[in-house]
Amino acid sequence: MRKANRLVGKTLGEIAKHIKPGVTTLQLDKVAEEFIRDNGAIPTFKNFPNPFGNPFPASICTSVNDVVVHGIPDDKTVLKEGDVISVDCGTLLDGFNGDSCYTFCVGEVEPEIKQLLKVTKESLYLGIESAVAGKHIGDIGNAVQSHCESFGYGIVRELTGHGIGKDMHEDPSVPNYGNKGNGVLLKSGMCIAIEPMVTMGDRSIYMMPDRWTIRTRDGKPAAHFEHTVVVRRGKAEILSSFEEVEQLEGNLF
């Protein structure tokens, strides 16, 4: 699990080098797939099925501006100055899964959108602080929800984090909202993906006809950050990494 997730972190770092105005999301996908395969892993998202029988056609999800999650890379979506793009990435390495997501700024981004990214990222780490043995799933969601809603942001309810291991999605679901003390008891050794999906405006979302792309109903931007962690006594261990991205980005927000 550590190896698979470290590779996801390195892949996000590789993608970060290419995020700039004029680049298409399909170009980013090609960078990711080549890097993952060159490192002896399989991009888990490629051909991943959904409930409608549509396999995902790419190696990463590229969700720009008002796309919350599951944006499909293509050659028509060209990044522009001021955009934000969340890149969700998964790897299968030696039978185990890695999963992580980072939302990037494209060039100079409006301060209020930077704040959305900052707060969403902060909420991820607050959720991780609650991912300790003896607490409950609801403690994680409550930490994320309380922080984001204090800024007036929306918490997407229809999509959640998840358990992860030999399969990409395992039990339990890990919502980004909830009450302290509710839900599944967290035990040492459980691996979960915590992934706040946060909207600048209303939390209402809708699905595009491709049966993958999820957008905000009000057209306002969304942010998405994700780490895979293992529950421990006292403090969770973060298996994925933003280090490679942050070394390139510096202190953006």
Side-chain angles (χ1 to χ4, degrees):
M1 289 292 288
R2 284 194 190 95
K3 284 180 182 175
N5 280 284
R6 287 296 300 174
L7 178 55
V8 174
K10 289 175 183 173
T11 306
L12 290 173
E14 193 65 24
I15 292 165
K17 298 174 188 174
H18 298 267
I19 290 179
K20 58 189 175 186
V23 171
T24 68
T25 52
L26 187 61
Q27 286 174 289
L28 298 179
D29 183 67
K30 287 176 178 172
V31 167
E33 180 166 8
E34 187 174 318
F35 189 81
I36 291 166
R37 293 192 188 280
D38 283 352
N39 281 276
I42 296 166
T44 330
F45 294 179
K46 191 144 195 181
N47 297 317
F48 195 86
N50 70 6
F52 310 104
N54 300 39
F56 193 76
S59 297
I60 54 173
C61 299
T62 51
S63 304
V64 180
N65 296 333
D66 65 319
V67 179
V68 184
V69 287
H70 302 162
I72 299 173
D74 60 30
D75 57 4
K76 296 183 185 67
T77 307
V78 181
L79 298 182
K80 305 186 305 295
E81 184 84 15
D83 284 346
V84 291
I85 175 173
S86 74
V87 178
D88 197 351
C89 179
T91 63
L92 180 66
L93 182 63
D94 298 332
F96 291 93
N97 281 279
D99 191 9
S100 183
C101 180
Y102 198 92
T103 302
F104 298 90
C105 296
V106 182
E108 194 53 46
V109 170
E110 293 290 335
E112 61 267 26
I113 300 177
K114 271 190 189 173
Q115 179 183 265
L116 170 68
L117 270 55
K118 178 176 183 285
V119 170
T120 303
K121 191 178 179 186
E122 287 169 351
S123 77
L124 169 61
Y125 287 102
L126 290 169
I128 291 169
E129 284 178 17
S130 289
V132 293
K135 289 205 172 193
H136 292 77
I137 287 290
D139 292 293
I140 297 172
N142 184 264
V144 172
Q145 181 181 15
S146 300
H147 187 61
C148 294
E149 288 185 349
S150 73
F151 287 85
Y153 299 143
I155 296 286
V156 172
R157 305 292 180 106
E158 296 85 351
L159 301 152
T160 69
H162 50 89
I164 181 170
K166 290 187 175 180
D167 291 323
M168 171 64 75
H169 296 134
E170 299 182 355
D171 289 333
S173 294
V174 186
N176 295 303
Y177 61 93
N179 296 313
K180 291 180 179 179
N182 280 9
V184 172
L185 177 69
L186 297 172
K187 298 178 182 178
S188 187
M190 288 173 68
C191 289
I192 54 175
I194 301 172
E195 49 179 321
M197 290 159 270
V198 181
T199 62
M200 182 174 270
D202 190 85
R203 65 177 176 84
S204 300
I205 58 173
Y206 70 100
M207 182 182 283
M208 297 289 286
D210 63 27
R211 299 293 183 101
W212 278 106
T213 307
I214 303 290
R215 305 186 96 110
T216 59
R217 280 207 173 274
D218 59 13
K220 292 183 179 178
H224 179 204
F225 289 87
E226 177 183 18
H227 269 317
T228 294
V229 307
V230 56
V231 174
R232 299 287 189 205
R233 292 182 181 84
K235 186 179 179 183
E237 179 185 350
I238 302 174
L239 299 181
S240 45
S241 170
F242 293 157
E243 285 172 26
E244 291 83 0
V245 170
E246 289 166 346
Q247 281 168 7
L248 284 168
E249 278 199 342
N251 189 21
L252 266 188
F253 43 78

